[in-house]
Amino acid sequence: MKYLAAYLLLVSGGKTEPTAADVKAIMASVGVEAEEERLNSLIAALKGKNTDELVAEGLEKMSSVPTGGAAAASSGAAASSDAPAAEEKEEEKEESDDDMGFGLFD
């Protein structure tokens, strides 16, 4: 991920096709040593490709990944009647913590 981040940083800075030496220089400037094999693999995979199009493709793929938000929303409505009881239990637990005989700032 750090190799890709350095590559994209160079692209956003105006370099359309960064080289391995460019990425290595960015990484060295923040004290990170680059592994030649991984760096060369990234450069080969991105050679001749438009990064804006790649990012757009990635966003499109990520939009189809279920996040579980819909299931949480539907179960949240059903559990809303149980919420006061759960809050009371939670408050009881908090009160029992106070009986330990010492405080955080004592």
Side-chain angles (χ1 to χ4, degrees):
M1 191 63 116
K2 57 188 169 189
Y3 300 98
L4 181 59
Y7 185 92
L8 291 174
L9 183 62
L10 286 162
V11 170
S12 68
K15 191 147 183 95
T16 55
E17 285 198 36
T19 64
D22 296 330
V23 174
K24 195 182 286 189
I26 288 282
M27 294 177 69
S29 72
V30 293
V32 177
E33 190 174 321
E35 296 176 29
E36 288 292 325
E37 184 179 323
R38 295 180 86 182
L39 183 56
N40 291 334
S41 173
L42 174 77
I43 297 298
L46 296 176
K47 187 171 182 122
K49 296 185 180 177
N50 183 333
T51 55
D52 292 332
E53 291 174 5
L54 292 175
V55 169
E57 283 179 34
L59 287 173
E60 187 177 319
K61 289 179 182 179
M62 292 298 291
S63 68
S64 66
V65 174
T67 59
S74 64
S75 66
S80 65
S81 62
D82 297 333
E87 287 177 17
E88 288 178 21
K89 290 179 185 177
E90 200 170 299
E91 287 178 18
E92 289 175 15
K93 290 179 185 177
E94 289 176 15
E95 289 174 12
S96 66
D97 289 344
D98 292 336
D99 297 333
M100 297 176 110
F102 62 91
L104 182 62
F105 299 104
D106 288 343

